[in-house]
Amino acid sequence: MKGYSNGSPAQNPRTLQLRPAKSPHESFTFGNLCAVNSADIPPAQEGHDIHLLINGSFVLSARPIPSFPRGQISLNDAQRTWLQVAMTDVVEVQQYDPFSAGPQSYLGSMDIEVGFAGRKSTDVPYDQDELAQAFIRVFRHQIFAPGQQLLMDFKGIPLRMTVRTVELVDISSLTSTGGAHQMTSPQSRGILTPETAINYYKDAKSPIALLGSMRRPAANSVIRPDFKFEDMGIGGLDKEFSDIFRRAFASRIVPPGLAEKIGIQHVRGILLFGPPGTGKTLIARQIGKMLNAREPKVINGPEVLNKYVGQSEENIRKMFADAEKEQKERGDESDLHIIIFDELDAVCKQRGSTGGGTGVGDSVVNQLLSKLDGVEQLNNILLIGMTNRKDMIDEALLRPGRLEVHMEISLPDEHGRQQILKIHTNKMRTNGTMAPDVDLPELARLTRNFSGAEIQGLVKDASSWALQRHIKAGTMAALSDDVVNMKIRMEDFMRALDEVHPLFGANDEDLERSFEDGIIKFSPYIDKILKNGRECVNQVRSGETPLLTVLLHGPEESGKTALVAKIATDSEYPFIRMIKPVDLNGMNEIEKIRHLTKIFTDAYKSPLSIIVLDNIELFVDWVPLGPRFSSAVLGAIKGLLRNKGPKGRPLLIFATTTERSALAQMQLRFDYEIPVPNVQTQQELGNIMQESGEFGPEDIQRALGEIHETTQRQEIGVGVARVLRAIKTAKQDPDRVGRFAELISESVAYSPS
């Protein structure tokens, strides 16, 4: 420590052999003073007490008086315990001058353990600030060292105190203890001053109760003063961390007495939930870096369960054992104990939800509930639970007082994705292995609905493409000599984007396959349908309508699916999911309901979502013969279509059907309905033939003439999908014009007039 002295014996001290004796008066006993005869040791000037070095290691304050027997020194019980001497022993005593060796040493702070000294006690809690003021008033200018024991009379009740640690500072830095650190060596002694901060801790063996200080921060203040968010290596979660700090830790940095005065109850549990790969476990692990607390305990949910009866519950009790022990010893000054519980849903399912078995799951939940907020509450714990399935957690565990802070760790936005990309490419940039053409803002834009884990996977995949350029020709594993000059380029990231796809994103392949022939605007009405669809997209995007349902209805093969897929793709919503009847094949009613519910739940995890229900009448097993349908699935779909999601998570639902009348009978209603017609006129059919690029003007005239001559009808009444299929079939025939006219004539003949 900079510039402090432990003091030294006075110059040319005279060593005396003195025998311990009882204190002549209570003022000596409770004033931490020794009495000596003034003839053995002369008094100090101006009536000040003197300091004595006992047995070469211990310093006590003494008061010489003429009436005290010569050859003796009074030592009370606490002093003898500290000195480890008996009444029959002889101690070596010499006068001690703490100011003889240069810069003086003073106590910046002390940690003191306090308890009742005898049978006399009280149930009234002691105010720490009041107790500290009395301590300084009684023992001012005395010297204290770690391990020292003393007695103090406070409001008529004897208290026994033990110094645990001290901080020593120079006289010039009494108001700033920068550079000081706690010491436990008995030689690290210092002088008590009015500026010394005293921190009290409860003696675990004593029933004494302490109120928290209202002036100084808690000794267990949890936030490190040098903490910075960027040091944690987590991107895109600034708001989440800010909310966690505000709700879970802000109450722990105020003085405990003030917290007690206004009735603040510390948060004892946080639940982190959200899609896989968004950083829940990473957040929990990194929280330890921002806290001035004990190393967090990490518990994996499945590890708690044990085949032996009662062992699972015992595992839960062990999690809290250290916290319980320390709270009994130190009360409100106990350190914060953090328990990280991963995969919480594996253990804490809804009670009564699992049939059969031994009921171990229910017992584990009950044990956890009692530890978090039972009769004996622990105020020095923070349980951080993590799950992908919040809906599976027992609701009693989620109420205030238990896991009361529910923090959704959702998919990162564009700014967050850019932060995550910077973190995962930091070493590349630092070491010069990333090419200058890599555009991180553009990659952040292209990685819609990527989780943090998926972005990390994207960077790994891009690295593999860069490495492949340096593999020797004709080998699979040998690298070329120029691998040291490897650069990861933008093209590597673009290739990786073709391989790494987000779990919660648009199923682009299904959507693009739905309009692989493009959208042929054979009629002005097609433009109107697309315009109406865009208006619905913008209405939901604006946030004015949190839930909007739109039905596209029309004849079979009229292009409903292609049009809705085009509208959804052009919307650039981060989450687009098309559900087709084939996706539900082989599922019973319950499985269908669960599948549909999961997709809607996933959609609400994204800031903007579109769900397309293609041929919705087939979801409920509707058939025209009978007719029959599944009332359970129908009821579930009705509920999902009307259920608004979380605030700020708008959803646009498109559905297609060829049986609008059936939906009306089933009372399945939508906010907007958009009709999609067939190809009606020869002009529209001619437009499709021209757009296909397979027919010239003369071919089109010939085909239309043959169709009219064969059908004798002005209206075509055929779906655009069937027309496009006829064009592909006719291409295989030498007379493609005649073959096309034949196929369309057959379709017209079988279509309703």
Side-chain angles (χ1 to χ4, degrees):
M1 168 142 326
K2 176 183 175 183
Y4 74 84
S5 165
N6 288 328
S8 64
Q11 293 180 351
N12 302 318
R14 183 167 61 97
T15 302
L16 301 176
Q17 304 284 332
L18 302 179
R19 289 186 176 276
K22 292 185 178 180
S23 298
H25 191 267
E26 284 189 352
S27 61
F28 286 83
T29 302
F30 295 112
N32 195 36
L33 292 171
C34 304
V36 292
N37 186 277
S38 54
D40 290 336
I41 301 177
Q45 295 180 353
E46 300 178 2
H48 289 169
D49 295 331
I50 61 175
H51 299 291
L52 300 179
L53 180 67
I54 301 175
N55 288 342
S57 299
F58 307 96
V59 176
L60 285 172
S61 295
R63 182 172 296 169
I65 55 177
S67 60
F68 194 74
R70 295 195 62 177
Q72 296 185 12
I73 180 172
S74 72
L75 297 172
N76 62 39
D77 177 68
Q79 292 169 336
R80 293 196 305 274
T81 301
W82 179 44
L83 300 174
Q84 296 184 345
V85 300
M87 294 292 288
T88 56
D89 292 339
V90 176
V91 296
E92 293 185 352
V93 178
Q94 57 187 154
Q95 206 162 346
Y96 179 83
D97 181 7
F99 306 108
S100 63
Q104 296 86 10
S105 296
Y106 292 85
L107 292 170
S109 68
M110 301 170 62
D111 290 346
I112 298 178
E113 187 179 90
V114 61
F116 294 120
R119 295 181 180 179
K120 194 173 182 180
S121 62
T122 179
D123 295 332
V124 178
Y126 283 86
D127 186 308
Q128 291 193 51
D129 297 321
E130 186 180 357
L131 191 59
Q133 291 173 4
F135 185 94
I136 292 173
R137 185 172 60 251
V138 173
F139 304 116
R140 184 176 179 178
H141 301 314
Q142 291 193 20
I143 295 176
F144 292 96
Q148 184 168 350
Q149 296 188 28
L150 63 147
L151 298 174
M152 176 181 173
D153 187 334
F154 186 69
K155 296 183 178 180
I157 297 178
L159 301 178
R160 191 182 191 97
M161 300 186 181
T162 303
V163 180
R164 291 305 184 196
T165 63
V166 299
E167 278 185 357
L168 300 180
V169 295
D170 295 341
I171 185 66
S172 60
S173 60
L174 276 175
T175 57
S176 175
T177 57
H181 57 277
Q182 288 188 335
M183 290 170 288
T184 58
S185 169
Q187 307 304 319
S188 304
R189 57 179 77 101
I191 301 171
L192 181 68
T193 73
E195 289 80 15
T196 302
I198 301 176
N199 305 319
Y200 281 106
Y201 298 96
K202 177 183 178 297
D203 184 346
K205 299 177 183 178
S206 176
I208 193 171
L210 299 177
L211 292 175
S213 172
M214 292 186 62
R215 293 182 175 87
R216 59 177 176 80
N220 59 346
S221 181
V222 296
I223 306 299
R224 278 178 30 210
D226 60 343
F227 166 74
K228 295 179 182 177
F229 277 127
E230 49 265 31
D231 296 339
M232 302 185 71
I234 301 177
L237 295 172
D238 295 348
K239 182 181 182 300
E240 286 80 356
F241 265 114
S242 177
D243 290 344
I244 288 173
F245 173 82
R246 174 179 58 82
R247 299 193 63 185
F249 298 120
S251 66
R252 296 183 183 273
I253 64 174
V254 300
L258 180 59
E260 179 71 23
K261 186 175 181 180
I262 61 179
I264 293 178
Q265 293 293 324
H266 297 317
V267 167
R268 290 193 287 272
I270 302 173
L271 180 68
L272 304 179
F273 66 96
T278 50
K280 299 183 296 298
T281 305
L282 181 60
I283 285 176
R285 284 202 305 262
Q286 297 294 79
I287 275 178
K289 292 185 178 180
M290 68 182 278
L291 300 180
N292 188 23
R294 289 172 175 254
E295 187 71 20
K297 290 183 181 179
V298 181
I299 309 294
N300 291 315
E303 294 177 358
V304 172
L305 301 177
N306 193 288
K307 65 180 179 180
Y308 295 107
V309 175
Q311 189 59 50
S312 300
E313 295 87 332
E314 177 66 20
N315 291 339
I316 294 291
R317 289 192 290 272
K318 287 179 180 177
M319 290 164 46
F320 296 89
D322 292 344
E324 288 179 333
K325 179 182 177 183
E326 187 169 353
Q327 178 154 307
K328 289 179 181 177
E329 295 176 355
R330 299 176 59 183
D332 288 341
E333 299 288 350
S334 168
D335 287 338
L336 178 64
H337 292 249
I338 301 174
I339 301 170
I340 297 172
F341 208 128
D342 204 0
E343 302 298 339
L344 187 66
D345 53 280
V347 176
C348 298
K349 291 184 174 68
Q350 293 278 353
R351 286 171 291 180
S353 62
T354 54
T358 60
V360 171
D362 291 0
S363 299
V364 170
V365 175
N366 293 334
Q367 183 69 76
L368 190 59
L369 293 176
S370 66
K371 287 297 181 183
L372 278 175
D373 192 24
V375 176
E376 296 183 2
Q377 293 184 353
L378 294 175
N379 210 27
N380 62 340
I381 60 167
L382 179 65
L383 178 66
I384 304 175
M386 291 164 288
T387 181
N388 301 327
R389 298 292 305 277
K390 180 186 175 184
D391 56 296
M392 295 179 64
I393 306 297
D394 190 277
E395 58 187 19
L397 197 60
L398 303 179
R399 73 158 176 79
R402 291 166 182 166
L403 294 179
E404 59 185 281
V405 177
H406 304 163
M407 192 65 60
E408 181 178 7
I409 310 301
S410 56
L411 297 170
D413 57 13
E414 187 170 328
H415 175 68
R417 294 194 298 272
Q418 188 170 339
Q419 285 186 335
I420 297 170
L421 282 164
K422 284 182 178 178
I423 290 170
H424 290 302
T425 58
N426 182 48
K427 286 189 176 180
M428 296 180 187
R429 296 195 309 275
T430 304
N431 299 320
T433 57
M434 192 166 78
D437 69 331
V438 176
D439 188 350
L440 294 185
E442 176 64 12
L443 288 174
R445 188 186 68 81
L446 295 172
T447 50
R448 288 180 301 159
N449 264 36
F450 272 63
S451 66
E454 288 160 347
I455 291 175
Q456 184 180 16
L458 179 76
V459 175
K460 290 178 183 176
D461 195 79
S463 302
S464 70
W465 281 109
L467 281 169
Q468 187 171 359
R469 286 197 299 272
H470 298 275
I471 295 177
K472 288 182 179 179
T475 67
M476 290 295 292
L479 294 174
S480 58
D481 296 335
D482 64 343
V483 70
V484 293
N485 300 318
M486 183 187 76
K487 297 281 187 182
I488 299 172
R489 306 170 184 164
M490 189 65 176
E491 63 180 283
D492 299 320
F493 281 98
M494 298 308 293
R495 287 180 174 180
L497 281 170
D498 292 333
E499 294 183 341
V500 181
H501 302 287
L503 178 63
F504 295 95
N507 47 351
D508 296 329
E509 190 175 344
D510 284 350
L511 292 170
E512 291 171 1
R513 200 164 51 235
S514 298
F515 60 99
E516 57 188 355
D517 293 323
I519 300 298
I520 298 178
K521 301 177 181 179
F522 59 87
S523 165
Y525 197 73
I526 302 301
D527 275 325
K528 184 178 180 181
I529 293 173
L530 294 174
K531 178 177 177 294
N532 291 339
R534 286 193 298 270
E535 289 175 351
C536 294
V537 167
N538 294 332
Q539 181 178 346
V540 173
R541 193 197 306 274
S542 67
E544 295 180 359
T545 307
L547 178 65
L548 187 66
T549 59
V550 183
L551 177 68
L552 277 74
H553 60 88
E556 193 172 352
E557 296 187 319
S558 58
K560 301 180 296 297
T561 303
L563 287 167
V564 77
K566 175 64 174 174
I567 294 169
T569 302
D570 290 347
S571 72
E572 294 189 349
Y573 274 28
F575 184 97
I576 305 172
R577 188 59 49 89
M578 175 177 281
I579 314 172
K580 298 182 177 181
V582 69
D583 299 333
L584 308 180
N585 279 357
M587 296 183 183
N588 58 34
E589 289 183 335
I590 295 177
E591 290 170 339
K592 287 181 180 180
I593 293 171
R594 285 177 178 169
H595 181 74
L596 292 170
T597 302
K598 182 180 184 303
I599 291 175
F600 274 76
T601 302
D602 290 345
Y604 286 125
K605 295 173 183 176
S606 177
L608 279 173
S609 304
I610 290 178
I611 293 178
V612 179
L613 305 174
D614 195 26
N615 288 323
I616 190 173
E617 73 278 2
L618 299 182
F619 288 25
V620 297
D621 298 328
W622 183 88
V623 292
L625 298 175
R628 71 170 295 274
F629 60 89
S630 168
S631 58
V633 178
L634 176 61
I637 291 176
K638 285 182 178 180
L640 293 171
L641 291 180
R642 293 299 166 205
N643 180 46
K644 293 182 181 179
K647 187 177 181 180
R649 300 292 172 86
L651 174 63
L652 174 58
I653 303 173
F654 284 110
T656 69
T657 184
T658 59
E659 302 291 344
R660 182 191 177 201
S661 60
L663 298 186
Q665 293 175 21
M666 290 185 279
Q667 297 181 339
L668 200 56
R669 298 182 177 89
F670 295 83
D671 298 323
Y672 290 113
E673 293 189 4
I674 302 175
V676 181
N678 274 334
V679 180
Q680 297 295 339
T681 66
Q682 289 195 347
Q683 179 63 44
E684 292 175 351
L685 181 59
N687 292 339
I688 297 174
M689 295 175 68
Q690 182 178 351
E691 288 286 334
S692 70
E694 298 294 334
F695 303 96
E698 295 181 358
D699 296 334
I700 295 173
Q701 291 300 323
R702 175 192 163 192
L704 294 178
E706 290 183 8
I707 293 170
H708 182 264
E709 183 179 347
T710 303
T711 61
Q712 296 297 310
R713 289 171 56 175
Q714 293 294 331
E715 293 185 359
I716 303 298
V718 176
V720 63
R722 184 169 295 185
V723 174
L724 293 174
R725 190 166 57 249
I727 292 173
K728 293 177 181 178
T729 303
K731 287 170 58 178
Q732 314 305 319
D733 195 287
D735 182 13
R736 66 176 186 275
V737 177
R739 179 60 175 155
F740 175 76
E742 179 184 354
L743 292 170
I744 295 299
S745 297
E746 292 175 357
S747 298
V748 172
Y750 287 107
S751 65
S753 56

